[in-house]
């Protein structure tokens, strides 16, 4: 079994209640629409679960806004729970994760990684036990947006492989 769901799009991508688990030779979900001439957005609504995948649970590469709700991404064997990238030349829009329960735990690398040229807004985030890297990594220094974290935020036991990685790492122009 390779990647659970693979999407290449020239426009907006909208998904609801996605589950991708136990994809043993690839990502849970891989979405790419950065070649869109309209800066298409990627939106995942409802409850979204990415668990026990070989590589990244959810990988998004876009030039438009990335909007997610209620994400669980745990136990990626060789990579990240979630990686979101809208840091391409010409990118517009930021990254927003909302919901009451966003959990990124037990992944080999980052729990949640974000590279963006826009504002980043996260709420109710738990990142724990991510082995080699930060629980949550945010870099929007190439853009002009701010970083906002609200709600219940828990970052514990990340980067346990003897590294100096953090529960939360933020690099921004507006910090």
């Amino acid at each position: 079994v390779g990647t659970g769901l693979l999407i290449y799009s020239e426009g907006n991508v909208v998904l609801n209640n996605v589950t991708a688990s136990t994809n043993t030779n690839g990502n849970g979900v891989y979405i790419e629409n950065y070649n869109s001439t309209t800066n298409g957005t990627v939106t995942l609504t409802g409850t979204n679960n990415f668990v026990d995948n070989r590589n990244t649970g959810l990988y998004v590469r876009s030039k438009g806004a990335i909007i997610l709700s209620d994400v669980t991404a745990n136990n990626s064997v060789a990579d990240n729970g979630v990686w979101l990238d809208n840091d391409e030349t010409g990118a517009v829009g930021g990254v927003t994760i909302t919901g009451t329960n966003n959990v990124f735990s037990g992944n080999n690398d980052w729990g949640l990684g974000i590279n963006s040229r826009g504002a980043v807004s996260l709420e109710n985030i738990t990142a724990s036990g991510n082995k080699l890297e930060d629980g949550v990594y945010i870099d929007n220094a190439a853009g002009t947006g701010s970083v906002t974290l609200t709600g219940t935020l828990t970052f514990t036991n990340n980067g346990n492989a003897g590294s100096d990685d953090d529960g939360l790492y933020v690099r921004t122009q507006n910090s």
Side-chain angles (χ1 to χ4, degrees):
V1 177
T3 294
L5 176 62
L6 178 63
I7 298 173
Y8 292 100
S9 175
E10 295 279 329
N12 297 332
V13 175
V14 179
L15 301 171
N16 184 45
N17 294 324
V18 177
T19 297
S21 62
T22 321
N23 292 287
T24 56
N25 286 320
N27 300 302
V29 174
Y30 183 97
I31 302 169
E32 188 173 288
N33 72 344
Y34 77 97
N35 286 321
S36 169
T37 58
T38 61
N39 292 331
T41 63
V42 175
T43 305
L44 274 65
T45 60
T47 302
N48 300 284
N49 295 292
F50 311 96
V51 179
D52 295 323
N53 294 290
R54 172 76 184 155
N55 295 331
T56 298
L58 170 66
Y59 182 95
V60 178
R61 186 173 178 199
S62 180
K63 286 198 306 189
I66 300 171
I67 304 161
L68 311 177
S69 72
D70 287 310
V71 177
T72 298
N74 297 337
N75 304 319
S76 290
V77 176
D79 222 332
N80 314 299
V82 171
W83 191 264
L84 307 174
D85 181 356
N86 65 354
D87 190 26
E88 305 294 327
T89 299
V92 298
V95 172
T96 303
I97 300 178
T98 62
T100 58
N101 194 29
N102 296 295
V103 180
F104 309 91
S105 297
N107 299 292
N108 192 61
D109 291 332
W110 289 275
L112 169 62
I114 299 171
N115 282 324
S116 181
R117 292 195 179 206
V120 175
S121 177
L122 308 178
E123 89 179 343
N124 299 317
I125 302 291
T126 298
S128 63
N130 296 291
K131 297 174 183 83
L132 300 178
E133 302 292 347
D134 304 312
V136 174
Y137 171 93
I138 302 167
D139 184 344
N140 73 344
T144 58
S146 61
V147 174
T148 305
L149 300 149
T150 60
T152 302
L153 306 168
T154 305
F155 308 100
T156 57
N157 297 320
N158 294 288
N160 291 330
S163 66
D164 63 353
D165 292 301
D166 304 304
L168 171 65
Y169 174 89
V170 177
R171 180 174 176 252
T172 184
Q173 290 283 339
N174 296 314
S175 57

